[in-house]
mmCIF file of all heavy atoms in Angstrom:
data_model
loop_
_atom_site.group_PDB
_atom_site.id
_atom_site.type_symbol
_atom_site.label_atom_id
_atom_site.label_comp_id
_atom_site.label_asym_id
_atom_site.label_seq_id
_atom_site.Cartn_x
_atom_site.Cartn_y
_atom_site.Cartn_z
ATOM 1 N N ILE A 207 26.392 -13.562 -16.728
ATOM 2 C CA ILE A 207 25.496 -12.398 -16.668
ATOM 3 C C ILE A 207 25.445 -11.723 -18.000
ATOM 4 O O ILE A 207 26.302 -11.992 -18.905
ATOM 5 C CB ILE A 207 26.039 -11.416 -15.585
ATOM 6 C CG1 ILE A 207 27.435 -10.854 -16.014
ATOM 7 C CG2 ILE A 207 26.051 -12.062 -14.218
ATOM 8 C CD1 ILE A 207 27.927 -9.715 -15.184
ATOM 9 N N GLN A 208 24.486 -10.902 -18.187
ATOM 10 C CA GLN A 208 24.360 -10.059 -19.311
ATOM 11 C C GLN A 208 23.854 -8.661 -18.897
ATOM 12 O O GLN A 208 22.990 -8.498 -18.065
ATOM 13 C CB GLN A 208 23.318 -10.611 -20.307
ATOM 14 C CG GLN A 208 23.056 -9.882 -21.573
ATOM 15 C CD GLN A 208 22.233 -10.699 -22.588
ATOM 16 O OE1 GLN A 208 22.533 -11.840 -22.941
ATOM 17 N NE2 GLN A 208 21.038 -10.118 -22.928
ATOM 18 N N MET A 209 24.516 -7.582 -19.390
ATOM 19 C CA MET A 209 24.221 -6.242 -18.973
ATOM 20 C C MET A 209 24.372 -5.299 -20.151
ATOM 21 O O MET A 209 25.117 -5.578 -21.135
ATOM 22 C CB MET A 209 25.108 -5.838 -17.765
ATOM 23 C CG MET A 209 26.559 -5.551 -18.229
ATOM 24 S SD MET A 209 27.528 -4.943 -16.790
ATOM 25 C CE MET A 209 28.003 -6.504 -16.032
ATOM 26 N N GLU A 210 23.660 -4.211 -20.017
ATOM 27 C CA GLU A 210 23.838 -3.092 -21.052
ATOM 28 C C GLU A 210 25.036 -2.222 -20.578
ATOM 29 O O GLU A 210 25.089 -1.799 -19.427
ATOM 30 C CB GLU A 210 22.566 -2.226 -21.043
ATOM 31 C CG GLU A 210 22.736 -1.059 -22.110
ATOM 32 C CD GLU A 210 21.442 -0.223 -22.182
ATOM 33 O OE1 GLU A 210 20.425 -0.668 -21.690
ATOM 34 O OE2 GLU A 210 21.584 0.879 -22.815
ATOM 35 N N VAL A 211 25.992 -2.125 -21.450
ATOM 36 C CA VAL A 211 27.232 -1.447 -21.085
ATOM 37 C C VAL A 211 26.870 0.056 -20.677
ATOM 38 O O VAL A 211 26.194 0.746 -21.492
ATOM 39 C CB VAL A 211 28.170 -1.495 -22.258
ATOM 40 C CG1 VAL A 211 29.388 -0.633 -21.967
ATOM 41 C CG2 VAL A 211 28.602 -2.925 -22.602
ATOM 42 N N GLY A 212 27.358 0.401 -19.523
ATOM 43 C CA GLY A 212 27.137 1.808 -19.129
ATOM 44 C C GLY A 212 25.637 2.137 -18.744
ATOM 45 O O GLY A 212 25.259 3.220 -18.726
ATOM 46 N N GLY A 213 24.823 1.086 -18.580
ATOM 47 C CA GLY A 213 23.446 1.231 -18.318
ATOM 48 C C GLY A 213 23.077 2.044 -17.077
ATOM 49 O O GLY A 213 23.819 1.983 -16.028
ATOM 50 N N GLU A 214 22.080 2.933 -17.253
ATOM 51 C CA GLU A 214 21.750 3.799 -16.099
ATOM 52 C C GLU A 214 21.251 3.032 -14.871
ATOM 53 O O GLU A 214 21.414 3.617 -13.734
ATOM 54 C CB GLU A 214 20.632 4.751 -16.509
ATOM 55 C CG GLU A 214 21.114 5.749 -17.621
ATOM 56 C CD GLU A 214 22.359 6.562 -17.252
ATOM 57 O OE1 GLU A 214 22.327 6.971 -16.107
ATOM 58 O OE2 GLU A 214 23.204 6.754 -18.150
ATOM 59 N N ASN A 215 20.838 1.847 -14.981
ATOM 60 C CA ASN A 215 20.281 1.080 -13.840
ATOM 61 C C ASN A 215 21.319 0.276 -13.155
ATOM 62 O O ASN A 215 21.080 -0.413 -12.158
ATOM 63 C CB ASN A 215 19.130 0.060 -14.303
ATOM 64 C CG ASN A 215 17.933 0.884 -14.712
ATOM 65 O OD1 ASN A 215 17.690 2.035 -14.242
ATOM 66 N ND2 ASN A 215 17.160 0.385 -15.737
ATOM 67 N N LEU A 216 22.594 0.241 -13.672
ATOM 68 C CA LEU A 216 23.694 -0.513 -13.016
ATOM 69 C C LEU A 216 24.243 0.227 -11.819
ATOM 70 O O LEU A 216 24.212 1.470 -11.768
ATOM 71 C CB LEU A 216 24.858 -0.725 -14.098
ATOM 72 C CG LEU A 216 24.546 -1.595 -15.321
ATOM 73 C CD1 LEU A 216 25.740 -1.533 -16.168
ATOM 74 C CD2 LEU A 216 24.136 -3.021 -14.908
ATOM 75 N N LEU A 217 24.726 -0.557 -10.898
ATOM 76 C CA LEU A 217 25.614 0.039 -9.913
ATOM 77 C C LEU A 217 26.763 0.756 -10.481
ATOM 78 O O LEU A 217 27.282 0.346 -11.545
ATOM 79 C CB LEU A 217 26.018 -0.952 -8.844
ATOM 80 C CG LEU A 217 24.940 -1.592 -7.986
ATOM 81 C CD1 LEU A 217 25.557 -2.763 -7.099
ATOM 82 C CD2 LEU A 217 24.289 -0.625 -7.141
ATOM 83 N N LYS A 218 27.226 1.873 -9.762
ATOM 84 C CA LYS A 218 28.276 2.641 -10.349
ATOM 85 C C LYS A 218 29.525 1.874 -10.771
ATOM 86 O O LYS A 218 30.108 2.088 -11.795
ATOM 87 C CB LYS A 218 28.698 3.753 -9.299
ATOM 88 C CG LYS A 218 29.820 4.661 -9.772
ATOM 89 C CD LYS A 218 30.082 5.772 -8.690
ATOM 90 C CE LYS A 218 30.599 5.204 -7.366
ATOM 91 N NZ LYS A 218 32.096 4.874 -7.519
ATOM 92 N N GLU A 219 29.874 0.875 -9.833
ATOM 93 C CA GLU A 219 31.127 0.111 -10.192
ATOM 94 C C GLU A 219 31.023 -0.727 -11.508
ATOM 95 O O GLU A 219 31.874 -0.787 -12.304
ATOM 96 C CB GLU A 219 31.442 -0.787 -9.000
ATOM 97 C CG GLU A 219 31.789 -0.027 -7.715
ATOM 98 C CD GLU A 219 30.529 0.340 -6.817
ATOM 99 O OE1 GLU A 219 29.451 0.199 -7.440
ATOM 100 O OE2 GLU A 219 30.763 0.655 -5.671
ATOM 101 N N PHE A 220 29.816 -1.337 -11.634
ATOM 102 C CA PHE A 220 29.563 -2.136 -12.860
ATOM 103 C C PHE A 220 29.476 -1.256 -14.073
ATOM 104 O O PHE A 220 29.811 -1.614 -15.212
ATOM 105 C CB PHE A 220 28.327 -3.044 -12.620
ATOM 106 C CG PHE A 220 28.517 -4.228 -11.834
ATOM 107 C CD1 PHE A 220 27.930 -4.245 -10.580
ATOM 108 C CD2 PHE A 220 29.301 -5.289 -12.185
ATOM 109 C CE1 PHE A 220 28.059 -5.304 -9.734
ATOM 110 C CE2 PHE A 220 29.502 -6.377 -11.346
ATOM 111 C CZ PHE A 220 28.859 -6.403 -10.106
ATOM 112 N N LYS A 221 28.799 -0.120 -13.908
ATOM 113 C CA LYS A 221 28.589 0.857 -14.987
ATOM 114 C C LYS A 221 29.918 1.319 -15.484
ATOM 115 O O LYS A 221 30.072 1.366 -16.803
ATOM 116 C CB LYS A 221 27.822 2.122 -14.447
ATOM 117 C CG LYS A 221 27.383 3.094 -15.528
ATOM 118 C CD LYS A 221 26.570 4.167 -14.751
ATOM 119 C CE LYS A 221 26.127 5.183 -15.836
ATOM 120 N NZ LYS A 221 25.298 6.378 -15.253
ATOM 121 N N GLU A 222 30.843 1.576 -14.699
ATOM 122 C CA GLU A 222 32.157 2.068 -15.142
ATOM 123 C C GLU A 222 33.025 0.847 -15.718
ATOM 124 O O GLU A 222 33.687 1.095 -16.678
ATOM 125 C CB GLU A 222 32.963 2.669 -13.985
ATOM 126 C CG GLU A 222 32.272 4.001 -13.515
ATOM 127 C CD GLU A 222 32.912 4.535 -12.193
ATOM 128 O OE1 GLU A 222 33.805 3.863 -11.662
ATOM 129 O OE2 GLU A 222 32.519 5.635 -11.771
ATOM 130 N N ALA A 223 32.991 -0.303 -15.077
ATOM 131 C CA ALA A 223 33.795 -1.319 -15.451
ATOM 132 C C ALA A 223 33.344 -1.954 -16.781
ATOM 133 O O ALA A 223 34.111 -2.584 -17.525
ATOM 134 C CB ALA A 223 33.766 -2.465 -14.382
ATOM 135 N N SER A 224 32.084 -1.822 -17.174
ATOM 136 C CA SER A 224 31.588 -2.434 -18.375
ATOM 137 C C SER A 224 32.015 -1.713 -19.708
ATOM 138 O O SER A 224 31.883 -2.310 -20.777
ATOM 139 C CB SER A 224 30.073 -2.544 -18.309
ATOM 140 O OG SER A 224 29.533 -1.229 -18.326
ATOM 141 N N VAL A 225 32.527 -0.496 -19.538
ATOM 142 C CA VAL A 225 32.899 0.249 -20.705
ATOM 143 C C VAL A 225 34.399 -0.017 -21.037
ATOM 144 O O VAL A 225 35.238 -0.089 -20.179
ATOM 145 C CB VAL A 225 32.707 1.770 -20.533
ATOM 146 C CG1 VAL A 225 33.151 2.553 -21.698
ATOM 147 C CG2 VAL A 225 31.231 2.024 -20.186
ATOM 148 N N GLY A 226 34.673 -0.251 -22.411
ATOM 149 C CA GLY A 226 36.033 -0.356 -22.794
ATOM 150 C C GLY A 226 36.597 -1.684 -22.687
ATOM 151 O O GLY A 226 37.765 -1.914 -22.653
ATOM 152 N N LEU A 227 35.707 -2.737 -22.651
ATOM 153 C CA LEU A 227 36.191 -4.133 -22.536
ATOM 154 C C LEU A 227 36.118 -4.792 -23.841
ATOM 155 O O LEU A 227 35.269 -4.580 -24.713
ATOM 156 C CB LEU A 227 35.253 -4.944 -21.589
ATOM 157 C CG LEU A 227 35.484 -4.848 -20.089
ATOM 158 C CD1 LEU A 227 34.324 -5.601 -19.342
ATOM 159 C CD2 LEU A 227 36.754 -5.566 -19.714
ATOM 160 N N SER A 228 37.115 -5.734 -24.093
ATOM 161 C CA SER A 228 37.130 -6.543 -25.274
ATOM 162 C C SER A 228 36.852 -8.008 -24.908
ATOM 163 O O SER A 228 37.117 -8.435 -23.690
ATOM 164 C CB SER A 228 38.516 -6.487 -26.013
ATOM 165 O OG SER A 228 38.815 -5.181 -26.355
ATOM 166 N N ALA A 229 36.385 -8.782 -25.795
ATOM 167 C CA ALA A 229 36.073 -10.170 -25.521
ATOM 168 C C ALA A 229 37.391 -10.864 -25.058
ATOM 169 O O ALA A 229 38.404 -10.742 -25.668
ATOM 170 C CB ALA A 229 35.477 -10.953 -26.798
ATOM 171 N N GLY A 230 37.310 -11.617 -23.901
ATOM 172 C CA GLY A 230 38.449 -12.310 -23.421
ATOM 173 C C GLY A 230 39.114 -11.492 -22.329
ATOM 174 O O GLY A 230 39.999 -12.024 -21.580
ATOM 175 N N GLU A 231 38.859 -10.208 -22.208
ATOM 176 C CA GLU A 231 39.495 -9.285 -21.239
ATOM 177 C C GLU A 231 38.752 -9.492 -19.950
ATOM 178 O O GLU A 231 37.567 -9.681 -19.853
ATOM 179 C CB GLU A 231 39.494 -7.910 -21.699
ATOM 180 C CG GLU A 231 40.255 -6.902 -20.808
ATOM 181 C CD GLU A 231 40.146 -5.527 -21.375
ATOM 182 O OE1 GLU A 231 39.611 -5.238 -22.424
ATOM 183 O OE2 GLU A 231 40.610 -4.563 -20.595
ATOM 184 N N GLU A 232 39.577 -9.328 -18.829
ATOM 185 C CA GLU A 232 38.969 -9.404 -17.495
ATOM 186 C C GLU A 232 39.369 -8.174 -16.675
ATOM 187 O O GLU A 232 40.360 -7.480 -16.872
ATOM 188 C CB GLU A 232 39.474 -10.669 -16.822
ATOM 189 C CG GLU A 232 40.927 -10.680 -16.406
ATOM 190 C CD GLU A 232 41.374 -11.925 -15.674
ATOM 191 O OE1 GLU A 232 40.604 -12.959 -15.795
ATOM 192 O OE2 GLU A 232 42.357 -11.846 -14.889
ATOM 193 N N ARG A 233 38.460 -7.854 -15.669
ATOM 194 C CA ARG A 233 38.689 -6.765 -14.783
ATOM 195 C C ARG A 233 38.299 -7.163 -13.351
ATOM 196 O O ARG A 233 37.391 -8.023 -13.247
ATOM 197 C CB ARG A 233 37.922 -5.486 -15.181
ATOM 198 C CG ARG A 233 38.430 -4.780 -16.447
ATOM 199 C CD ARG A 233 37.648 -3.550 -16.759
ATOM 200 N NE ARG A 233 38.219 -2.850 -17.928
ATOM 201 C CZ ARG A 233 37.703 -1.924 -18.625
ATOM 202 N NH1 ARG A 233 36.458 -1.443 -18.209
ATOM 203 N NH2 ARG A 233 38.228 -1.353 -19.661
#
Side-chain angles (χ1 to χ4, degrees):
I207 63 170
Q208 182 171 300
M209 70 177 85
E210 181 178 348
V211 175
E214 296 301 322
N215 294 327
L216 295 176
L217 292 176
K218 178 173 68 76
E219 297 88 346
F220 286 110
K221 185 177 180 179
E222 294 173 353
S224 63
V225 178
L227 276 172
S228 299
E231 185 179 352
E232 67 179 24
R233 285 182 181 171

